[in-house]
Amino acid sequence: MDAATLVDYAKSLDCVHCGLCLQSCPTYRLTGRESSSPRGRVHLMRSVAEGEAPADADFAEEMEFCLLCRGCESVCPSGVQFGRMMETTRGALSEAVERPLVEQLSRSFGFATVLPSRAWLSFLAGLGRFAQQLGLPQLAGQLLGERGAALASMPTIPPANERALLPEHSPAEGPVTGEVAVLEGCVMPELFGRVNRATVRCLTAAGREVHCSRGATCCGSLHAHNGELDLARRLTRETVEAHEALEARVGTELPLVVNSAGCAAHLVAADHLFEHDADFAPRARAFARKVVDFSASLDGPALERLAARLSGGPARRVAWDDPCHLCHGQGVRDEPRRLIDLLPSVERVPLEDSEACCGSAGIYSVLRPDTAAQVFAPKREAFERSGADCLVTANPGCQLQWDAGLRRAGVTAPVLHIAELVAERLPDAPRSDGA
Ligand code: SF4
Ligand code: SF4
């Protein structure tokens, strides 16, 4: 393996070994090992690049053990771009590492076939729903023990009518405060169609004309996270092109509102995937500047209009948990809190260590469920200490992780996306948790 392509050596030189990142790192907190800390990983990368350490299985394991939560970036005084370094290294490793055949096939099927295809996603969601209705995942869990546990704990797939795609155009309610596009996402319509609908409901109530493109399915965020950089580049390019085509059809530039923190963090930095593509890089840069998180998109007159429409809704004491890719990846911290504090009959209570990773981390909780559960444990304890009766976040993976983690511990509090919490306070809205 060529160390020069494996490590972003120039970026690794930014680290001054101060150690301020250690306590922000979930894998260091779990193991206490320097090699599992951000400083240790940067040192490993640099040693490999300088030929002083081998790029062997131990090195690959340490790179994959990282959650890529980017908590280390928020506390680093030297501005080490840890996320980008890790994506580069994982990209090189994914080409160089010989994986077992079953893993190769399932990665290829998941990343190259399913995620980019609306037809595959929809087919598998329908199949999964059918299997859940027959109780097959639970049966597999009983018969296969640990090997069937992942199937038994898969999220509940909603009925077909809740998996419908968003309309291509949703008109503003009342005077128009602006036009936006929303990113529908790949798994969002299949698992969290209700979150997408709540997002559009909030935006239209805020006076936004909302457009939705059908031109792309997956934005490539999960691919970049897992080192599948060629596929990530292809899907990100398709997302940029679909947005440009939508703007051409509508006849104006459109901010792209994203309700999944992981996707937004990937897309706001879309240009870095095209650093070596002089033709496409300016288009990716222009696109990236238009990407905006859902809460951050609601400001000025739009926020005032939304606030004027809010009333009632169930009384809730909510704890807001910052998704890593919202706070560390996009620097969005105040906007969700500002939005929650506007809501009638909602009291926001503090959640200790709300910026710590919940263990979801893309597909990390599927690949390493035991570590993900250990990372989650202090989050659940903090939630129980907070006195909240509802957990609110803004990323589908975090929602699944919180939901499964609280259920496992016998905690029945609902887990909502912030758009759901807002939407249930708009006229004619049902309770988000169905109670
Ligand atoms: S990205 Fe997260 S898990 Fe990885 S080194 Fe940084 S803090 Fe630790
Ligand atoms: S905080 Fe930044 S500079 Fe300090 S050890 Fe960690 S990565 Fe290096």
Side-chain angles (χ1 to χ4, degrees):
M1 208 181 312
D2 179 3
T5 59
L6 185 63
V7 171
D8 191 330
Y9 185 63
K11 286 195 175 73
S12 78
L13 298 176
D14 291 338
C15 175
V16 296
H17 315 292
C18 65
L20 288 173
C21 53
L22 298 189
Q23 290 306 327
S24 71
C25 176
T27 54
Y28 177 77
R29 278 156 70 162
L30 272 186
T31 64
R33 284 197 316 253
E34 173 72 16
S35 59
S36 302
S37 74
R39 180 174 67 181
R41 290 187 173 111
V42 174
H43 181 71
L44 266 177
M45 290 179 188
R46 197 186 293 180
S47 302
V48 164
E50 290 172 348
E52 289 183 7
D56 57 7
D58 288 346
F59 174 73
E61 164 59 18
E62 220 36 276
M63 298 303 118
E64 293 189 359
F65 185 36
C66 167
L67 291 123
L68 236 176
C69 64
R70 298 172 62 182
C72 45
E73 288 187 22
S74 286
V75 295
C76 176
S78 295
V80 171
Q81 294 177 293
F82 191 87
R84 288 194 185 182
M85 288 173 62
M86 187 55 85
E87 284 187 7
T88 302
T89 296
R90 285 188 178 175
L93 283 172
S94 91
E95 285 170 19
V97 165
E98 268 299 305
R99 296 179 194 276
L101 186 64
V102 175
E103 194 184 332
Q104 276 179 44
L105 292 175
S106 42
R107 276 180 81 97
S108 165
F109 181 61
F111 286 128
T113 304
V114 176
L115 286 173
S117 162
R118 177 65 58 215
W120 267 110
L121 286 161
S122 174
F123 170 72
L124 290 178
L127 198 64
R129 167 87 183 163
F130 183 60
Q132 285 180 338
Q133 285 180 311
L134 295 178
L136 297 182
Q138 285 69 24
L139 191 63
Q142 286 162 11
L143 294 179
L144 300 176
E146 274 190 16
R147 278 187 296 147
L151 280 175
S153 61
M154 68 192 266
T156 304
I157 298 171
N161 63 337
E162 290 185 27
R163 303 199 306 272
L165 296 180
L166 291 172
E168 291 189 45
H169 174 229
S170 303
E173 296 173 23
V176 175
T177 57
E179 288 194 70
V180 299
V182 289
L183 185 82
E184 187 150 45
C186 50
V187 296
M188 284 295 286
E190 311 304 337
L191 293 179
F192 288 109
R194 64 175 198 273
V195 172
N196 275 352
R197 284 189 292 280
T199 300
V200 172
R201 178 87 182 85
C202 296
L203 292 171
T204 55
R208 301 298 201 208
E209 289 281 319
V210 180
H211 303 275
C212 182
S213 163
R214 290 276 178 274
T217 299
C218 177
C219 69
S221 149
L222 280 174
H223 302 76
H225 205 86
N226 289 282
E228 300 287 340
L229 294 186
D230 287 342
L231 270 170
R233 217 168 270 121
R234 192 193 97 202
L235 297 174
T236 306
R237 178 188 285 265
E238 286 173 10
T239 304
V240 173
E241 289 170 347
H243 189 70
E244 290 173 345
L246 178 66
E247 289 182 322
R249 180 158 60 77
V250 174
T252 184
E253 289 205 357
L254 297 168
L256 179 62
V257 178
V258 183
N259 60 9
S260 156
C263 301
H266 170 69
L267 293 175
V268 295
D271 49 324
H272 94 91
L273 279 176
F274 301 95
E275 275 167 356
H276 305 298
D277 182 341
D279 291 336
F280 199 73
R283 288 166 66 184
R285 217 169 7 257
F287 166 84
R289 280 197 291 267
K290 295 172 192 167
V291 175
V292 57
D293 162 66
F294 165 75
S295 315
S297 80
L298 290 166
D299 60 2
L303 190 61
E304 285 167 25
R305 270 196 55 72
L306 179 67
R309 304 290 313 282
L310 297 167
S311 67
R316 298 197 189 274
R317 295 190 86 206
V318 309
W320 163 252
D321 189 46
D322 297 86
C324 295
H325 287 91
L326 191 62
C327 59
H328 309 307
Q330 299 173 70
V332 173
R333 292 178 168 86
D334 295 340
E335 294 87 339
R337 290 173 170 81
R338 175 185 70 189
L339 190 52
I340 293 170
D341 292 345
L342 270 182
L343 302 177
S345 52
V346 170
E347 179 194 358
R348 179 169 60 85
V349 297
L351 181 69
E352 289 162 39
D353 228 0
S354 68
E355 293 195 9
C357 181
C358 68
S360 165
I363 57 170
Y364 193 97
S365 57
V366 177
L367 300 176
R368 294 173 183 253
D370 293 342
T371 308
Q374 288 173 46
V375 171
F376 180 73
K379 302 289 289 185
R380 176 186 51 78
E381 289 161 12
F383 177 74
E384 292 187 286
R385 279 195 299 275
S386 74
D389 58 23
C390 174
L391 188 284
V392 181
T393 187
N395 189 54
C398 305
Q399 245 181 303
L400 292 175
Q401 175 78 345
W402 270 101
D403 202 55
L406 291 184
R407 297 296 155 267
R408 266 199 312 272
V411 180
T412 56
V415 176
L416 302 182
H417 188 283
I418 188 168
E420 294 180 279
L421 184 72
V422 178
E424 68 179 5
R425 264 143 262 281
L426 288 167
D428 307 323
R431 257 181 94 110
S432 305
D433 49 3

